[in-house]
Amino acid sequence: MPKKQKTITIDGIDKKILRALMQDARTPILEIARNVGISGAAIHQRLRKLEKAKLISGSKFIINPEVLGYSTMAFIGIYLDKTANTTDVVRALKRIPEVLECHYTTGHYSLFIKLLSLNNTHLMHLLHEKIQSISGVQRTESLISLDQVIDRQIHI
Amino acid sequence: MPKKQKTITIDGIDKKILRALMQDARTPILEIARNVGISGAAIHQRLRKLEKAKLISGSKFIINPEVLGYSTMAFIGIYLDKTANTTDVVRALKRIPEVLECHYTTGHYSLFIKLLSLNNTHLMHLLHEKIQSISGVQRTESLISLDQVIDRQIHI
DNA sequence: ATTGAAAATATGACATC
DNA sequence: GATGTCATATTTTCAAT
């Protein structure tokens, strides 16, 4: 059954708080308070409200993969055998650290993944030795990102 | 010309620091210090080193789009006319807040985007009224994500 | 990398409206 | 229910070593 999720309403102050923290999760609450014009304690309480409503699902430091040598991002469509156990395939994909996203999708593919590799040789290795060797994987189709020109979260 | 990016080497302590902050960007430096076993100031200096090396490109609060009613994620492959000005198309895509990623890609498509919509009706509206009406866009192919089962950053 | 100290911040209790 | 004030604990930050 689908996870039901209440939608909540947020006002202008909530938006300002969220925008500041979406941009830099370490922005001090008191700094936000000064910009917004209410007390730090009030910001604090609103944040607890937003967390309770699960609107905020955490915070992350963003690592620049290029500095670690990861220069190739690719999207891979995966065809599975009719008899394949999808759960097992996903479990195997989780064990490949280069796989960053995995989706069940409509359309031709059974699974659709996003991955990051050091270069094209590494990508080929991942495809042939890691992904296509998973039991149940029939074939794959690759889409290599030459340049990512938009990368953002939903607008608030 | 491609952006050259020096790759740096990081040791076990750097990894522990990064793992803690990738999981929760607001983890206090002193708490990390206690877990790692060195002083807070040392952590602080390492973080400055990592920032200088551009390994850390910032921090973000992660918003749960479902709570705002966004329940449908889709990937769209875009075919452009031969005469289309790609830069202009990207500029137009940037003005659509639901578009979260945009890539220049190899393969059939000229552009490949990831977007988030409220539901299938909204997705159809985005496709027909917003994306396919951009000058230069010839046609699109959609891939709807029914469930995202992996979502993570590169492993450190 | 460490220590120590000053400044800034986070956080909770309580009062207010 | 949302906010402000205050007191205290904790953290950040920067020297000097």
Side-chain angles (χ1 to χ4, degrees), chain A residues 21-34:
Chain A
L21 290 169
M22 285 170 79
Q23 216 179 351
D24 179 358
R26 288 189 81 95
T27 312
I29 271 72
L30 287 178
E31 191 182 311
I32 300 172
R34 284 189 290 273

Side-chain angles (χ1 to χ4, degrees), chain B residues 26 38-39 41-42 45-46:
Chain B
R26 287 189 83 96
I38 64 177
S39 75
Q45 288 175 26
R46 281 170 179 268

Side-chain angles (χ1 to χ4, degrees), chain B residues 67-87:
Chain B
V67 179
L68 294 173
Y70 289 89
S71 61
T72 305
M73 182 176 286
F75 296 89
I76 317 286
I78 300 179
Y79 292 88
L80 296 183
D81 294 326
K82 276 178 189 154
T83 59
N85 181 327
T86 316
T87 311

Side-chain angles (χ1 to χ4, degrees), chain B residues 87-106:
Chain B
T87 311
D88 285 344
V89 175
V90 171
R91 209 193 319 273
L93 288 170
K94 276 188 184 151
R95 284 200 212 94
I96 307 173
E98 289 87 352
V99 174
L100 304 187
E101 295 185 22
C102 175
H103 303 260
Y104 291 87
T105 53
T106 65

